[in-house]
Amino acid sequence: MSNTATTTEEHALQALRDSGLRLTQPRRCIIRALSRASEPLSPREVYQQLGEASCDQVTIYRCLGDLEQQGLVHRHEFGDGSTRYQLIAPDGGHSHYVVCRICQHRQPLDICPAPQLEASAAAHGFTGISHTLELFGVCPQCQQGSG
Amino acid sequence: MSNTATTTEEHALQALRDSGLRLTQPRRCIIRALSRASEPLSPREVYQQLGEASCDQVTIYRCLGDLEQQGLVHRHEFGDGSTRYQLIAPDGGHSHYVVCRICQHRQPLDICPAPQLEASAAAHGFTGISHTLELFGVCPQCQQGSG
DNA sequence: TTAGGTGCAAACGGTTTGCAATAAG
DNA sequence: CTTATTGCAAACCGTTTGCACCTAA
């Protein structure tokens, strides 16, 4: 897992600098936490990851908001009441999931209809397009358990 | 706008009956409010629509939850802090929107990658699949104002 | 008759806001 | 130096919960 040309983390840091936002300690830590996560993280989860490098939860909310506005993170709404964020790769890469309605288990999928969607939105004159996409269903295990 | 074979409203009422849920006054009114709306409605908006046929807001939350569980409404998360619901047509029809990040204006789109998505989720053994999909961007008018 | 549904009031919990103190550039 | 950013405390507000009463079937 050594870094390639430009890691997702480096990309985010550089983009922050370029956008004129200050590269503060909390922001570095939050970006690092996101980059190390294997799944999208909620503000609370980021907070828990931080440990000693901790900062106030409010700072996390604000930072994640900034990152989203800069198009550096992808937002997920898994329907459990809290928003989660995932660092977007330099090439725009991100994930989508199917969430089990019963046990909340998340299965990442290998699809993203983004191009098609963005074309449709662009046709109406919209720019700077992003999206949110989640699937919900009942996972194999929970199907057994309940009939 | 006279009704065809089966209106979306009738379909929902029948489905509720079939599922064993009781056809109460509040549920009828809420379904009617949804069927008359030209856009997805939040619990609060449903409440405001009801007028004299009013019921408690808590009842609306519960009813919308039931309808979603029965797969009769499509859930939308426009990112403004409240969930919105849209009655699903007998043929499964529903909409997706691009929401302007600046003025919150919503533009309905004519696309839905559902089949592709569901196939992907089904490949992982999930059943009873539904989805949530929203696009975000800057609308033509707001581009002029700030650009 | 009898579950399932509803209303009311109160609790919950994620997120936002105001403002003084702090640190990045 | 200057201004963006942070931390703390408190407010916000959509949503959920507990429980007694009501009503569809």
Side-chain angles (χ1 to χ4, degrees), chain A residues 21-22 24 26-27 55-56 58-59 62:
Chain A
L21 294 178
R22 291 181 182 174
T24 66
R27 281 177 180 157
C55 68
D56 195 281
V58 174
T59 298
R62 289 193 272 228

Side-chain angles (χ1 to χ4, degrees), chain A residues 85-102:
Chain A
Y85 300 86
Q86 167 186 33
L87 265 193
I88 294 179
D91 68 352
H94 60 273
S95 330
H96 292 298
Y97 298 80
V98 216
V99 184
C100 177
R101 287 201 198 80
I102 314 293

Side-chain angles (χ1 to χ4, degrees), chain B residues 1 4 8 17 24-25 33 38 53 61 65 68 81 86 88 93 99 103 108 112 134:
Chain B
M1 299 301 177
T4 338
T8 297
R17 240 188 306 263
T24 65
Q25 199 63 35
S38 58
Y61 278 97
E68 185 186 3
Q86 167 186 32
I88 294 179
V99 184
C103 70
C112 178
E134 331 290 347

Side-chain angles (χ1 to χ4, degrees), chain B residues 48-69:
Chain B
Q48 295 169 335
Q49 292 292 319
L50 291 186
E52 353 180 345
S54 182
C55 67
D56 194 281
Q57 287 202 221
V58 173
T59 298
I60 297 176
Y61 278 97
R62 289 194 271 226
C63 176
L64 292 173
D66 292 340
L67 292 175
E68 185 186 3
Q69 203 159 352

